[in-house]
Amino acid sequence: MIYNKQLLFSLLGILFLFSNCTEKENEKGTPLPILGNWHVDSFEMEGKTVTDTVYHKIAAFSFLNQDSISITNADLEGKVYVADFFFTTCPTICPVMKTQMLRVHEKFKDNPDFKILSHTIDPKHDTVALLKDYSQRLGIEDASTWYFLTGDQEKIFEIGQTSYLTTAMEDQQEPGGFLHSGAFVLVDQNGRIRGVYDGTKEDQVNRLMNDIPKLLPKKE
């Protein structure tokens, strides 16, 4: 599968810009935007024309987590989650990303309506056993909140670029042999992207942690 690197970075830049432009409004309590392409469907119902806005959603997936448990869309129904892409031997941004994601995990790990999905883009090396060890070395004792996912490499690349609208591909010219962004993608209970944040920057992750509660069910 061939991807246009320039197009991917352009699209990611637009998402970051859109997300950043709404920061002040979101701080005031305005609902988070729904990102990605959308279209309006029209159909007839009981003699009337009805229109329905169809938003971009994360495609169906099935990957294994660090406990060898299959994780699919069904497991995320009704959940708010943050997704990212990494690989365990990454020599550049991944350690920073995981340090920042640990902050997110620490704040929301006790909320049953929240999850984290970290997809390895090097599944040939990052086996289930290795991901288990990696997660434990990060201090993640179980897979109740944070899933470290592996599976078919092409499917991981595809869902990263066509569903999460981020960069995830093999590139031997890049350090470690892979090209991926540091994006943390916020997804709502309906599988729609509601925010994109730079997982290498503390202020962006702070904003992510401020936005997550806007999607979670209100506590009574």
Side-chain angles (χ1 to χ4, degrees), residues 67-91:
D67 287 340
S68 295
I69 297 173
S70 178
I71 302 297
T72 71
N73 297 68
D75 298 295
L76 279 302
E77 287 182 3
K79 308 292 184 185
V80 173
Y81 69 93
V82 177
D84 74 339
F85 292 80
F86 81 110
F87 58 109
T88 63
T89 58
C90 173

mmCIF file with all atom_site columns, all heavy atoms in Angstrom, residues 67-91:
data_model
loop_
_atom_site.group_PDB
_atom_site.id
_atom_site.type_symbol
_atom_site.label_atom_id
_atom_site.label_alt_id
_atom_site.label_comp_id
_atom_site.label_asym_id
_atom_site.label_entity_id
_atom_site.label_seq_id
_atom_site.pdbx_PDB_ins_code
_atom_site.Cartn_x
_atom_site.Cartn_y
_atom_site.Cartn_z
_atom_site.occupancy
_atom_site.B_iso_or_equiv
_atom_site.pdbx_formal_charge
_atom_site.auth_seq_id
_atom_site.auth_comp_id
_atom_site.auth_asym_id
_atom_site.auth_atom_id
_atom_site.pdbx_PDB_model_num
ATOM 1   N N   . ASP A 1 67 ? -2.170  -8.587  26.645 1.00 0.00 ? 67 ASP A N   1
ATOM 2   C CA  . ASP A 1 67 ? -2.595  -9.813  27.314 1.00 0.00 ? 67 ASP A CA  1
ATOM 3   C C   . ASP A 1 67 ? -3.116  -10.859 26.329 1.00 0.00 ? 67 ASP A C   1
ATOM 4   O O   . ASP A 1 67 ? -3.802  -11.811 26.724 1.00 0.00 ? 67 ASP A O   1
ATOM 5   C CB  . ASP A 1 67 ? -3.678  -9.505  28.347 1.00 0.00 ? 67 ASP A CB  1
ATOM 6   C CG  . ASP A 1 67 ? -3.126  -8.816  29.583 1.00 0.00 ? 67 ASP A CG  1
ATOM 7   O OD1 . ASP A 1 67 ? -1.907  -8.907  29.821 1.00 0.00 ? 67 ASP A OD1 1
ATOM 8   O OD2 . ASP A 1 67 ? -3.909  -8.178  30.314 1.00 0.00 ? 67 ASP A OD2 1
ATOM 9   N N   . SER A 1 68 ? -2.816  -10.663 25.040 1.00 0.00 ? 68 SER A N   1
ATOM 10  C CA  . SER A 1 68 ? -3.275  -11.567 23.965 1.00 0.00 ? 68 SER A CA  1
ATOM 11  C C   . SER A 1 68 ? -4.794  -11.595 23.833 1.00 0.00 ? 68 SER A C   1
ATOM 12  O O   . SER A 1 68 ? -5.365  -12.577 23.358 1.00 0.00 ? 68 SER A O   1
ATOM 13  C CB  . SER A 1 68 ? -2.754  -13.001 24.193 1.00 0.00 ? 68 SER A CB  1
ATOM 14  O OG  . SER A 1 68 ? -1.351  -13.040 24.100 1.00 0.00 ? 68 SER A OG  1
ATOM 15  N N   . ILE A 1 69 ? -5.449  -10.529 24.229 1.00 0.00 ? 69 ILE A N   1
ATOM 16  C CA  . ILE A 1 69 ? -6.905  -10.416 24.108 1.00 0.00 ? 69 ILE A CA  1
ATOM 17  C C   . ILE A 1 69 ? -7.239  -9.569  22.890 1.00 0.00 ? 69 ILE A C   1
ATOM 18  O O   . ILE A 1 69 ? -6.654  -8.501  22.682 1.00 0.00 ? 69 ILE A O   1
ATOM 19  C CB  . ILE A 1 69 ? -7.512  -9.789  25.375 1.00 0.00 ? 69 ILE A CB  1
ATOM 20  C CG1 . ILE A 1 69 ? -7.269  -10.688 26.585 1.00 0.00 ? 69 ILE A CG1 1
ATOM 21  C CG2 . ILE A 1 69 ? -9.002  -9.524  25.203 1.00 0.00 ? 69 ILE A CG2 1
ATOM 22  C CD1 . ILE A 1 69 ? -7.691  -10.077 27.896 1.00 0.00 ? 69 ILE A CD1 1
ATOM 23  N N   . SER A 1 70 ? -8.156  -10.063 22.084 1.00 0.00 ? 70 SER A N   1
ATOM 24  C CA  . SER A 1 70 ? -8.570  -9.329  20.891 1.00 0.00 ? 70 SER A CA  1
ATOM 25  C C   . SER A 1 70 ? -9.384  -8.098  21.289 1.00 0.00 ? 70 SER A C   1
ATOM 26  O O   . SER A 1 70 ? -10.356 -8.190  22.038 1.00 0.00 ? 70 SER A O   1
ATOM 27  C CB  . SER A 1 70 ? -9.405  -10.240 19.988 1.00 0.00 ? 70 SER A CB  1
ATOM 28  O OG  . SER A 1 70 ? -9.860  -9.531  18.845 1.00 0.00 ? 70 SER A OG  1
ATOM 29  N N   . ILE A 1 71 ? -8.976  -6.949  20.764 1.00 0.00 ? 71 ILE A N   1
ATOM 30  C CA  . ILE A 1 71 ? -9.670  -5.690  21.016 1.00 0.00 ? 71 ILE A CA  1
ATOM 31  C C   . ILE A 1 71 ? -10.284 -5.222  19.704 1.00 0.00 ? 71 ILE A C   1
ATOM 32  O O   . ILE A 1 71 ? -9.582  -5.078  18.696 1.00 0.00 ? 71 ILE A O   1
ATOM 33  C CB  . ILE A 1 71 ? -8.720  -4.615  21.572 1.00 0.00 ? 71 ILE A CB  1
ATOM 34  C CG1 . ILE A 1 71 ? -8.056  -5.100  22.870 1.00 0.00 ? 71 ILE A CG1 1
ATOM 35  C CG2 . ILE A 1 71 ? -9.468  -3.297  21.798 1.00 0.00 ? 71 ILE A CG2 1
ATOM 36  C CD1 . ILE A 1 71 ? -9.019  -5.368  24.009 1.00 0.00 ? 71 ILE A CD1 1
ATOM 37  N N   . THR A 1 72 ? -11.589 -4.995  19.703 1.00 0.00 ? 72 THR A N   1
ATOM 38  C CA  . THR A 1 72 ? -12.298 -4.566  18.498 1.00 0.00 ? 72 THR A CA  1
ATOM 39  C C   . THR A 1 72 ? -13.100 -3.304  18.797 1.00 0.00 ? 72 THR A C   1
ATOM 40  O O   . THR A 1 72 ? -13.137 -2.819  19.930 1.00 0.00 ? 72 THR A O   1
ATOM 41  C CB  . THR A 1 72 ? -13.250 -5.658  18.003 1.00 0.00 ? 72 THR A CB  1
ATOM 42  O OG1 . THR A 1 72 ? -14.360 -5.766  18.918 1.00 0.00 ? 72 THR A OG1 1
ATOM 43  C CG2 . THR A 1 72 ? -12.558 -7.012  17.902 1.00 0.00 ? 72 THR A CG2 1
ATOM 44  N N   . ASN A 1 73 ? -13.777 -2.810  17.746 1.00 0.00 ? 73 ASN A N   1
ATOM 45  C CA  . ASN A 1 73 ? -14.647 -1.651  17.925 1.00 0.00 ? 73 ASN A CA  1
ATOM 46  C C   . ASN A 1 73 ? -15.687 -1.885  19.008 1.00 0.00 ? 73 ASN A C   1
ATOM 47  O O   . ASN A 1 73 ? -16.037 -0.963  19.759 1.00 0.00 ? 73 ASN A O   1
ATOM 48  C CB  . ASN A 1 73 ? -15.374 -1.329  16.615 1.00 0.00 ? 73 ASN A CB  1
ATOM 49  C CG  . ASN A 1 73 ? -14.440 -0.942  15.508 1.00 0.00 ? 73 ASN A CG  1
ATOM 50  O OD1 . ASN A 1 73 ? -13.683 -1.786  15.023 1.00 0.00 ? 73 ASN A OD1 1
ATOM 51  N ND2 . ASN A 1 73 ? -14.467 0.315   15.107 1.00 0.00 ? 73 ASN A ND2 1
ATOM 52  N N   . ALA A 1 74 ? -16.176 -3.121  19.088 1.00 0.00 ? 74 ALA A N   1
ATOM 53  C CA  . ALA A 1 74 ? -17.224 -3.422  20.069 1.00 0.00 ? 74 ALA A CA  1
ATOM 54  C C   . ALA A 1 74 ? -16.760 -3.149  21.497 1.00 0.00 ? 74 ALA A C   1
ATOM 55  O O   . ALA A 1 74 ? -17.557 -2.749  22.354 1.00 0.00 ? 74 ALA A O   1
ATOM 56  C CB  . ALA A 1 74 ? -17.668 -4.875  19.921 1.00 0.00 ? 74 ALA A CB  1
ATOM 57  N N   . ASP A 1 75 ? -15.471 -3.346  21.747 1.00 0.00 ? 75 ASP A N   1
ATOM 58  C CA  . ASP A 1 75 ? -14.935 -3.111  23.086 1.00 0.00 ? 75 ASP A CA  1
ATOM 59  C C   . ASP A 1 75 ? -14.853 -1.628  23.426 1.00 0.00 ? 75 ASP A C   1
ATOM 60  O O   . ASP A 1 75 ? -14.737 -1.257  24.597 1.00 0.00 ? 75 ASP A O   1
ATOM 61  C CB  . ASP A 1 75 ? -13.543 -3.730  23.218 1.00 0.00 ? 75 ASP A CB  1
ATOM 62  C CG  . ASP A 1 75 ? -13.561 -5.233  23.038 1.00 0.00 ? 75 ASP A CG  1
ATOM 63  O OD1 . ASP A 1 75 ? -14.166 -5.920  23.867 1.00 0.00 ? 75 ASP A OD1 1
ATOM 64  O OD2 . ASP A 1 75 ? -12.974 -5.709  22.047 1.00 0.00 ? 75 ASP A OD2 1
ATOM 65  N N   . LEU A 1 76 ? -14.923 -0.780  22.397 1.00 0.00 ? 76 LEU A N   1
ATOM 66  C CA  . LEU A 1 76 ? -14.817 0.663   22.613 1.00 0.00 ? 76 LEU A CA  1
ATOM 67  C C   . LEU A 1 76 ? -16.163 1.373   22.495 1.00 0.00 ? 76 LEU A C   1
ATOM 68  O O   . LEU A 1 76 ? -16.224 2.602   22.619 1.00 0.00 ? 76 LEU A O   1
ATOM 69  C CB  . LEU A 1 76 ? -13.836 1.273   21.617 1.00 0.00 ? 76 LEU A CB  1
ATOM 70  C CG  . LEU A 1 76 ? -12.335 1.159   21.931 1.00 0.00 ? 76 LEU A CG  1
ATOM 71  C CD1 . LEU A 1 76 ? -12.010 1.795   23.275 1.00 0.00 ? 76 LEU A CD1 1
ATOM 72  C CD2 . LEU A 1 76 ? -11.824 -0.245  21.861 1.00 0.00 ? 76 LEU A CD2 1
ATOM 73  N N   . GLU A 1 77 ? -17.229 0.630   22.237 1.00 0.00 ? 77 GLU A N   1
ATOM 74  C CA  . GLU A 1 77 ? -18.546 1.253   22.139 1.00 0.00 ? 77 GLU A CA  1
ATOM 75  C C   . GLU A 1 77 ? -18.900 1.938   23.448 1.00 0.00 ? 77 GLU A C   1
ATOM 76  O O   . GLU A 1 77 ? -18.797 1.352   24.518 1.00 0.00 ? 77 GLU A O   1
ATOM 77  C CB  . GLU A 1 77 ? -19.608 0.206   21.785 1.00 0.00 ? 77 GLU A CB  1
ATOM 78  C CG  . GLU A 1 77 ? -19.537 -0.274  20.343 1.00 0.00 ? 77 GLU A CG  1
ATOM 79  C CD  . GLU A 1 77 ? -20.640 -1.267  20.018 1.00 0.00 ? 77 GLU A CD  1
ATOM 80  O OE1 . GLU A 1 77 ? -21.477 -1.510  20.908 1.00 0.00 ? 77 GLU A OE1 1
ATOM 81  O OE2 . GLU A 1 77 ? -20.654 -1.790  18.891 1.00 0.00 ? 77 GLU A OE2 1
ATOM 82  N N   . GLY A 1 78 ? -19.289 3.188   23.351 1.00 0.00 ? 78 GLY A N   1
ATOM 83  C CA  . GLY A 1 78 ? -19.659 3.946   24.542 1.00 0.00 ? 78 GLY A CA  1
ATOM 84  C C   . GLY A 1 78 ? -18.480 4.443   25.347 1.00 0.00 ? 78 GLY A C   1
ATOM 85  O O   . GLY A 1 78 ? -18.654 5.007   26.428 1.00 0.00 ? 78 GLY A O   1
ATOM 86  N N   . LYS A 1 79 ? -17.258 4.253   24.822 1.00 0.00 ? 79 LYS A N   1
ATOM 87  C CA  . LYS A 1 79 ? -16.050 4.673   25.530 1.00 0.00 ? 79 LYS A CA  1
ATOM 88  C C   . LYS A 1 79 ? -15.419 5.888   24.849 1.00 0.00 ? 79 LYS A C   1
ATOM 89  O O   . LYS A 1 79 ? -15.483 6.042   23.626 1.00 0.00 ? 79 LYS A O   1
ATOM 90  C CB  . LYS A 1 79 ? -15.011 3.549   25.577 1.00 0.00 ? 79 LYS A CB  1
ATOM 91  C CG  . LYS A 1 79 ? -15.522 2.212   26.093 1.00 0.00 ? 79 LYS A CG  1
ATOM 92  C CD  . LYS A 1 79 ? -15.872 2.257   27.563 1.00 0.00 ? 79 LYS A CD  1
ATOM 93  C CE  . LYS A 1 79 ? -16.274 0.873   28.049 1.00 0.00 ? 79 LYS A CE  1
ATOM 94  N NZ  . LYS A 1 79 ? -16.731 0.896   29.470 1.00 0.00 ? 79 LYS A NZ  1
ATOM 95  N N   . VAL A 1 80 ? -14.810 6.729   25.631 1.00 0.00 ? 80 VAL A N   1
ATOM 96  C CA  . VAL A 1 80 ? -13.952 7.787   25.123 1.00 0.00 ? 80 VAL A CA  1
ATOM 97  C C   . VAL A 1 80 ? -12.523 7.253   25.177 1.00 0.00 ? 80 VAL A C   1
ATOM 98  O O   . VAL A 1 80 ? -12.138 6.629   26.166 1.00 0.00 ? 80 VAL A O   1
ATOM 99  C CB  . VAL A 1 80 ? -14.075 9.056   25.993 1.00 0.00 ? 80 VAL A CB  1
ATOM 100 C CG1 . VAL A 1 80 ? -13.059 10.113  25.563 1.00 0.00 ? 80 VAL A CG1 1
ATOM 101 C CG2 . VAL A 1 80 ? -15.493 9.606   25.935 1.00 0.00 ? 80 VAL A CG2 1
ATOM 102 N N   . TYR A 1 81 ? -11.753 7.461   24.106 1.00 0.00 ? 81 TYR A N   1
ATOM 103 C CA  . TYR A 1 81 ? -10.383 6.960   24.160 1.00 0.00 ? 81 TYR A CA  1
ATOM 104 C C   . TYR A 1 81 ? -9.416  7.862   23.412 1.00 0.00 ? 81 TYR A C   1
ATOM 105 O O   . TYR A 1 81 ? -9.818  8.699   22.595 1.00 0.00 ? 81 TYR A O   1
ATOM 106 C CB  . TYR A 1 81 ? -10.299 5.523   23.657 1.00 0.00 ? 81 TYR A CB  1
ATOM 107 C CG  . TYR A 1 81 ? -10.529 5.289   22.184 1.00 0.00 ? 81 TYR A CG  1
ATOM 108 C CD1 . TYR A 1 81 ? -9.468  5.253   21.281 1.00 0.00 ? 81 TYR A CD1 1
ATOM 109 C CD2 . TYR A 1 81 ? -11.813 5.025   21.691 1.00 0.00 ? 81 TYR A CD2 1
ATOM 110 C CE1 . TYR A 1 81 ? -9.665  4.994   19.936 1.00 0.00 ? 81 TYR A CE1 1
ATOM 111 C CE2 . TYR A 1 81 ? -12.027 4.759   20.342 1.00 0.00 ? 81 TYR A CE2 1
ATOM 112 C CZ  . TYR A 1 81 ? -10.955 4.746   19.468 1.00 0.00 ? 81 TYR A CZ  1
ATOM 113 O OH  . TYR A 1 81 ? -11.165 4.493   18.134 1.00 0.00 ? 81 TYR A OH  1
ATOM 114 N N   . VAL A 1 82 ? -8.138  7.692   23.753 1.00 0.00 ? 82 VAL A N   1
ATOM 115 C CA  . VAL A 1 82 ? -7.050  8.389   23.077 1.00 0.00 ? 82 VAL A CA  1
ATOM 116 C C   . VAL A 1 82 ? -6.205  7.346   22.365 1.00 0.00 ? 82 VAL A C   1
ATOM 117 O O   . VAL A 1 82 ? -5.847  6.321   22.957 1.00 0.00 ? 82 VAL A O   1
ATOM 118 C CB  . VAL A 1 82 ? -6.182  9.178   24.076 1.00 0.00 ? 82 VAL A CB  1
ATOM 119 C CG1 . VAL A 1 82 ? -5.001  9.833   23.355 1.00 0.00 ? 82 VAL A CG1 1
ATOM 120 C CG2 . VAL A 1 82 ? -7.014  10.241  24.788 1.00 0.00 ? 82 VAL A CG2 1
ATOM 121 N N   . ALA A 1 83 ? -5.889  7.583   21.097 1.00 0.00 ? 83 ALA A N   1
ATOM 122 C CA  . ALA A 1 83 ? -5.096  6.644   20.302 1.00 0.00 ? 83 ALA A CA  1
ATOM 123 C C   . ALA A 1 83 ? -3.787  7.291   19.867 1.00 0.00 ? 83 ALA A C   1
ATOM 124 O O   . ALA A 1 83 ? -3.734  8.503   19.606 1.00 0.00 ? 83 ALA A O   1
ATOM 125 C CB  . ALA A 1 83 ? -5.880  6.184   19.074 1.00 0.00 ? 83 ALA A CB  1
ATOM 126 N N   . ASP A 1 84 ? -2.744  6.474   19.806 1.00 0.00 ? 84 ASP A N   1
ATOM 127 C CA  . ASP A 1 84 ? -1.483  6.929   19.240 1.00 0.00 ? 84 ASP A CA  1
ATOM 128 C C   . ASP A 1 84 ? -0.785  5.761   18.557 1.00 0.00 ? 84 ASP A C   1
ATOM 129 O O   . ASP A 1 84 ? -1.236  4.615   18.644 1.00 0.00 ? 84 ASP A O   1
ATOM 130 C CB  . ASP A 1 84 ? -0.587  7.595   20.291 1.00 0.00 ? 84 ASP A CB  1
ATOM 131 C CG  . ASP A 1 84 ? 0.056   6.595   21.257 1.00 0.00 ? 84 ASP A CG  1
ATOM 132 O OD1 . ASP A 1 84 ? -0.471  5.469   21.396 1.00 0.00 ? 84 ASP A OD1 1
ATOM 133 O OD2 . ASP A 1 84 ? 1.072   6.939   21.884 1.00 0.00 ? 84 ASP A OD2 1
ATOM 134 N N   . PHE A 1 85 ? 0.328   6.069   17.858 1.00 0.00 ? 85 PHE A N   1
ATOM 135 C CA  . PHE A 1 85 ? 1.093   5.060   17.127 1.00 0.00 ? 85 PHE A CA  1
ATOM 136 C C   . PHE A 1 85 ? 2.567   5.212   17.505 1.00 0.00 ? 85 PHE A C   1
ATOM 137 O O   . PHE A 1 85 ? 3.094   6.318   17.584 1.00 0.00 ? 85 PHE A O   1
ATOM 138 C CB  . PHE A 1 85 ? 0.882   5.230   15.623 1.00 0.00 ? 85 PHE A CB  1
ATOM 139 C CG  . PHE A 1 85 ? -0.522  4.900   15.196 1.00 0.00 ? 85 PHE A CG  1
ATOM 140 C CD1 . PHE A 1 85 ? -1.538  5.828   15.365 1.00 0.00 ? 85 PHE A CD1 1
ATOM 141 C CD2 . PHE A 1 85 ? -0.841  3.655   14.676 1.00 0.00 ? 85 PHE A CD2 1
ATOM 142 C CE1 . PHE A 1 85 ? -2.851  5.532   15.008 1.00 0.00 ? 85 PHE A CE1 1
ATOM 143 C CE2 . PHE A 1 85 ? -2.144  3.340   14.319 1.00 0.00 ? 85 PHE A CE2 1
ATOM 144 C CZ  . PHE A 1 85 ? -3.149  4.274   14.493 1.00 0.00 ? 85 PHE A CZ  1
ATOM 145 N N   . PHE A 1 86 ? 3.224   4.067   17.731 1.00 0.00 ? 86 PHE A N   1
ATOM 146 C CA  . PHE A 1 86 ? 4.588   4.071   18.235 1.00 0.00 ? 86 PHE A CA  1
ATOM 147 C C   . PHE A 1 86 ? 5.265   2.760   17.862 1.00 0.00 ? 86 PHE A C   1
ATOM 148 O O   . PHE A 1 86 ? 4.672   1.893   17.240 1.00 0.00 ? 86 PHE A O   1
ATOM 149 C CB  . PHE A 1 86 ? 4.574   4.236   19.761 1.00 0.00 ? 86 PHE A CB  1
ATOM 150 C CG  . PHE A 1 86 ? 4.293   2.940   20.493 1.00 0.00 ? 86 PHE A CG  1
ATOM 151 C CD1 . PHE A 1 86 ? 5.297   2.315   21.221 1.00 0.00 ? 86 PHE A CD1 1
ATOM 152 C CD2 . PHE A 1 86 ? 3.042   2.322   20.426 1.00 0.00 ? 86 PHE A CD2 1
ATOM 153 C CE1 . PHE A 1 86 ? 5.063   1.113   21.880 1.00 0.00 ? 86 PHE A CE1 1
ATOM 154 C CE2 . PHE A 1 86 ? 2.800   1.128   21.075 1.00 0.00 ? 86 PHE A CE2 1
ATOM 155 C CZ  . PHE A 1 86 ? 3.815   0.512   21.805 1.00 0.00 ? 86 PHE A CZ  1
ATOM 156 N N   . PHE A 1 87 ? 6.536   2.591   18.265 1.00 0.00 ? 87 PHE A N   1
ATOM 157 C CA  . PHE A 1 87 ? 7.177   1.276   18.253 1.00 0.00 ? 87 PHE A CA  1
ATOM 158 C C   . PHE A 1 87 ? 8.219   1.259   19.357 1.00 0.00 ? 87 PHE A C   1
ATOM 159 O O   . PHE A 1 87 ? 8.788   2.296   19.714 1.00 0.00 ? 87 PHE A O   1
ATOM 160 C CB  . PHE A 1 87 ? 7.753   0.918   16.879 1.00 0.00 ? 87 PHE A CB  1
ATOM 161 C CG  . PHE A 1 87 ? 8.766   1.866   16.312 1.00 0.00 ? 87 PHE A CG  1
ATOM 162 C CD1 . PHE A 1 87 ? 10.115  1.503   16.220 1.00 0.00 ? 87 PHE A CD1 1
ATOM 163 C CD2 . PHE A 1 87 ? 8.384   3.111   15.811 1.00 0.00 ? 87 PHE A CD2 1
ATOM 164 C CE1 . PHE A 1 87 ? 11.050  2.362   15.654 1.00 0.00 ? 87 PHE A CE1 1
ATOM 165 C CE2 . PHE A 1 87 ? 9.309   3.974   15.250 1.00 0.00 ? 87 PHE A CE2 1
ATOM 166 C CZ  . PHE A 1 87 ? 10.648  3.600   15.172 1.00 0.00 ? 87 PHE A CZ  1
ATOM 167 N N   . THR A 1 88 ? 8.443   0.098   19.933 1.00 0.00 ? 88 THR A N   1
ATOM 168 C CA  . THR A 1 88 ? 9.221   0.015   21.176 1.00 0.00 ? 88 THR A CA  1
ATOM 169 C C   . THR A 1 88 ? 10.684  0.381   21.005 1.00 0.00 ? 88 THR A C   1
ATOM 170 O O   . THR A 1 88 ? 11.338  0.762   21.975 1.00 0.00 ? 88 THR A O   1
ATOM 171 C CB  . THR A 1 88 ? 9.129   -1.395  21.787 1.00 0.00 ? 88 THR A CB  1
ATOM 172 O OG1 . THR A 1 88 ? 9.700   -2.351  20.888 1.00 0.00 ? 88 THR A OG1 1
ATOM 173 C CG2 . THR A 1 88 ? 7.679   -1.764  22.079 1.00 0.00 ? 88 THR A CG2 1
ATOM 174 N N   . THR A 1 89 ? 11.216  0.244   19.781 1.00 0.00 ? 89 THR A N   1
ATOM 175 C CA  . THR A 1 89 ? 12.626  0.572   19.555 1.00 0.00 ? 89 THR A CA  1
ATOM 176 C C   . THR A 1 89 ? 12.797  1.969   18.977 1.00 0.00 ? 89 THR A C   1
ATOM 177 O O   . THR A 1 89 ? 13.886  2.328   18.522 1.00 0.00 ? 89 THR A O   1
ATOM 178 C CB  . THR A 1 89 ? 13.282  -0.459  18.621 1.00 0.00 ? 89 THR A CB  1
ATOM 179 O OG1 . THR A 1 89 ? 12.559  -0.500  17.379 1.00 0.00 ? 89 THR A OG1 1
ATOM 180 C CG2 . THR A 1 89 ? 13.299  -1.840  19.250 1.00 0.00 ? 89 THR A CG2 1
ATOM 181 N N   . CYS A 1 90 ? 11.762  2.759   18.997 1.00 0.00 ? 90 CYS A N   1
ATOM 182 C CA  . CYS A 1 90 ? 11.791  4.119   18.448 1.00 0.00 ? 90 CYS A CA  1
ATOM 183 C C   . CYS A 1 90 ? 12.878  4.948   19.132 1.00 0.00 ? 90 CYS A C   1
ATOM 184 O O   . CYS A 1 90 ? 12.876  5.087   20.361 1.00 0.00 ? 90 CYS A O   1
ATOM 185 C CB  . CYS A 1 90 ? 10.428  4.782   18.651 1.00 0.00 ? 90 CYS A CB  1
ATOM 186 S SG  . CYS A 1 90 ? 10.363  6.526   18.210 1.00 0.00 ? 90 CYS A SG  1
ATOM 187 N N   . PRO A 1 91 ? 13.806  5.518   18.354 1.00 0.00 ? 91 PRO A N   1
ATOM 188 C CA  . PRO A 1 91 ? 14.904  6.277   18.949 1.00 0.00 ? 91 PRO A CA  1
ATOM 189 C C   . PRO A 1 91 ? 14.637  7.774   19.052 1.00 0.00 ? 91 PRO A C   1
ATOM 190 O O   . PRO A 1 91 ? 15.510  8.528   19.471 1.00 0.00 ? 91 PRO A O   1
ATOM 191 C CB  . PRO A 1 91 ? 16.050  6.015   17.964 1.00 0.00 ? 91 PRO A CB  1
ATOM 192 C CG  . PRO A 1 91 ? 15.355  5.935   16.643 1.00 0.00 ? 91 PRO A CG  1
ATOM 193 C CD  . PRO A 1 91 ? 14.007  5.292   16.900 1.00 0.00 ? 91 PRO A CD  1
#
